[in-house]
Amino acid sequence: MSVADHSPLVVLIGPMGVGKSTVGRLLAERLAVEFCDVDEVVVAREGREISDIFVDEGEPYFRGVERELTLELLAAHRGVLALGGGAPMQEVISAALEGRAVVFLDVGIADAAHRIGFDTSRPLLAVNPRATWVRMMNERRPVYERVARWRVDTAGRTPEDVVDEIVGLLSSDAEEGMR
Ligand code: S3P
């Protein structure tokens, strides 16, 4: 059995504020499959918000739960799966992404800023959100680029437009596969 037989149709990765959930939900609708956001599963499993998990237990605990659930969902979910922004930085997760249809949703700080600036749900951006976002993106970009099959720029585009591009990429990939 190849990876494609038992994996999500599409995995979305990228930084906080890029719109993984919005694009993921729309994309799933378009493809008539289920959407799943790992962050939401973490919140449901833990019975508390991500910011509370960070405060109560610390980041290493959060990363442990994130790792366990991400690997579980990579094995079990067959629709569109959106990962948390930091997930691909865990080596075991980036290894598990190999060979899958991974889309890196890219964006610059100018476009991300209005979504992250006043959002208290993201504990890593609680202090100095813009500078922190830029620093994290610089650190993470090489990993996002390495594990993704495609990079899709979302700057100045509507979610519908981004979804159109992803659908096009998926169908050209399917055509390649049939040749
Ligand atoms: C994080 C991103 C968040 C969430 C947590 C940590 C990160 O997910 O998993 O706050 O390290 O970038 P989103 O990318 O969905 O906001």
Side-chain angles (χ1 to χ4, degrees):
M1 195 157 83
S2 77
V3 161
D5 296 322
H6 58 90
S7 60
L9 209 51
V10 191
V11 182
L12 300 179
I13 63 169
M16 293 178 271
V18 74
K20 296 184 292 282
S21 306
T22 309
V23 168
R25 219 163 252 120
L26 260 179
L27 178 63
E29 233 171 72
R30 185 81 77 78
L31 299 172
V33 296
E34 295 276 312
F35 172 66
C36 178
D37 184 325
V38 178
D39 281 344
E40 282 176 15
V41 180
V42 170
V43 169
R45 176 79 62 101
E46 286 286 308
R48 50 191 165 167
E49 294 303 319
I50 286 176
S51 50
D52 293 327
I53 303 172
F54 268 72
V55 170
D56 296 346
E57 315 284 351
E59 183 171 349
Y61 176 86
F62 168 78
R63 295 299 175 195
V65 178
E66 177 181 52
R67 181 167 58 246
E68 187 190 323
L69 291 177
T70 303
L71 294 176
E72 226 173 273
L73 289 162
L74 280 172
H77 182 72
R78 285 178 170 70
V80 175
L81 184 66
L83 305 196
M89 303 304 285
Q90 302 203 50
E91 234 173 272
V92 64
I93 295 178
S94 69
L97 291 175
E98 232 168 87
R100 299 179 189 266
V102 179
V103 178
F104 163 30
L105 293 182
D106 199 357
V107 73
I109 183 63
D111 286 75
H114 68 278
R115 292 193 225 143
I116 58 176
F118 305 99
D119 187 347
T120 54
S121 70
R122 294 189 171 104
L124 292 176
L125 300 177
V127 180
N128 212 347
R130 287 179 188 228
T132 307
W133 188 94
V134 170
R135 180 181 51 75
M136 289 174 70
M137 184 57 158
N138 288 340
E139 283 167 13
R140 292 173 173 184
R141 175 177 290 284
V143 176
Y144 291 151
E145 288 182 347
R146 178 170 56 78
V147 301
R149 189 175 302 171
W150 302 288
R151 185 185 74 89
V152 173
D153 197 356
T154 66
R157 300 172 69 183
T158 63
E160 287 77 10
D161 195 26
V162 172
V163 166
D164 285 345
E165 180 174 347
I166 298 174
V167 170
L169 291 167
L170 291 170
S171 48
S172 58
D173 201 42
E175 277 167 28
E176 280 287 304
M178 282 190 292
R179 273 193 208 123

